[in-house]
Amino acid sequence: MSRVLFVAEGVTLAHVGRPILLASAMAARGHEVILAAPGRYRRWAPVGVKWRNLKGQSPEQFHARLSSGRRLYSQAQLKGYIADDLNLFGKVQVDAVFGDFRLSLAASARAAGVPYGASANAYWSPQRRLRPPAPALDFARKSLFRAAWPLALRWHAGAVGEVLRPFGVDIQNSLQRAYTEADLTLYADPAGPYPDVAPSEREMFLGPIAWAPDVALPDWWDALPAGPVAYLSMGSSGEAKATRMIAEALAAEGFVVMTATAGRGGIGRAACRG
């Protein structure tokens, strides 16, 4: 059996939940499995999986960068990640490493000579044309936004590319490659919605990875008011304002709305439970 290291960058729950579920599945099949993740997630470590604390950017820092349009990681951060990765490889001596949004592994795993797999969403596949969102702007500003979109993507990928290049990894300033660069990338989505992504030796569809944290049900679970129920979650990196707007629209249509905000607070509406 193999010894496999799973590395979870804990900026969102998805980037932790997917490695947790996959690590648990591999441990159940008799492999020796080690999970490295930030300490705040240790309570969800699977049975039979060894734990290693991992330094990383906090969800609060990540969300602040995301909402302000700044680069998600600086070159200094990524270089620090690579050093931490290599130090970890030296301690655990694994046969393979599997990461989720740990962008430094594209360099550190190759430098250590360790086969590297990653999980991601197929939306980021380099095979796809990444289309910009449709912002609520007037025609002139919307046109300017769309013209700047490719330059913005290259700028965001620039810090990652500069750090990876000395390790022989050239992502060509592509944000999609920055997010998916690995020996094998497994997409946590069904293949159907992505006909423009052809499975290959380096990109495959794994399908949805349905992890849920082991937490107690809320006090109001058995006291929901009558009526149709809508469950709403924008993910742990979702915008609270958008969550509130959608919840209020659903409530106005007569739904009882249950929201999951990943600890970021309620949405202040009596018709919504969260």
Side-chain angles (χ1 to χ4, degrees):
M1 292 295 178
S2 300
R3 176 185 286 183
V4 183
L5 170 67
F6 285 82
V7 182
E9 175 70 354
V11 292
T12 74
L13 277 176
H15 300 314
V16 177
R18 293 188 295 223
I20 285 176
L21 193 60
L22 294 174
S24 180
M26 288 207 71
R29 285 163 174 76
H31 297 281
E32 184 178 353
V33 180
I34 303 161
L35 174 63
R40 66 169 67 194
Y41 302 107
R42 185 164 189 169
R43 57 182 168 149
W44 294 322
V47 175
V49 172
K50 298 178 181 178
W51 178 270
R52 290 276 182 169
N53 279 327
L54 182 74
K55 294 179 182 178
Q57 187 171 197
S58 71
E60 294 78 17
Q61 292 171 324
F62 180 82
H63 188 266
R65 287 178 175 270
L66 186 66
S67 60
S68 66
R70 289 179 290 164
R71 281 173 167 164
L72 300 182
Y73 297 96
S74 68
Q75 291 188 36
Q77 282 178 307
L78 292 170
K79 289 177 180 178
Y81 275 21
I82 290 172
D84 290 342
D85 296 346
L86 292 173
N87 182 53
L88 181 59
F89 293 153
K91 292 179 178 178
V92 298
Q93 298 293 313
V94 295
D95 298 306
V97 59
F98 193 93
D100 197 302
F101 207 64
R102 184 74 171 185
L103 307 185
S104 55
L105 288 173
S108 58
R110 271 64 177 269
V114 180
Y116 167 43
S119 55
N121 287 110
Y123 175 85
W124 293 110
S125 169
Q127 297 185 51
R128 303 184 71 248
R129 179 185 176 187
L130 195 59
R131 297 173 176 83
L137 303 173
D138 59 46
F139 177 78
R141 288 191 293 170
K142 186 178 292 186
S143 298
L144 180 62
F145 175 87
R146 287 176 172 163
W149 175 255
L151 296 176
L153 293 182
R154 291 179 65 84
W155 179 78
H156 276 283
V160 183
E162 288 296 320
V163 173
L164 298 184
R165 196 169 292 116
F167 293 86
V169 181
D170 185 6
I171 62 170
Q172 301 175 350
N173 281 350
S174 164
L175 193 64
Q176 289 158 283
R177 288 192 61 180
Y179 288 176
T180 62
E181 178 63 33
D183 298 321
L184 173 63
T185 304
L186 299 178
Y187 293 124
D189 298 289
Y194 300 96
D196 46 358
V197 179
S200 68
E201 291 183 354
R202 295 195 62 171
E203 294 180 77
M204 297 182 184
F205 284 91
L206 183 61
I209 302 176
W211 173 78
D214 185 13
V215 296
L217 292 174
D219 294 339
W220 46 260
W221 185 260
D222 293 319
L224 285 172
V229 175
Y231 172 71
L232 172 64
S233 174
M234 303 291 282
S236 60
S237 62
E239 178 57 49
K241 183 178 179 181
T243 303
R244 186 180 301 110
M245 291 174 60
I246 297 170
E248 289 179 351
L250 288 168
E253 293 297 320
F255 286 92
V256 174
V257 184
M258 297 192 300
T259 62
T261 59
R264 296 178 61 197
I267 59 173
R269 174 89 183 215
C272 305
R273 304 279 181 161

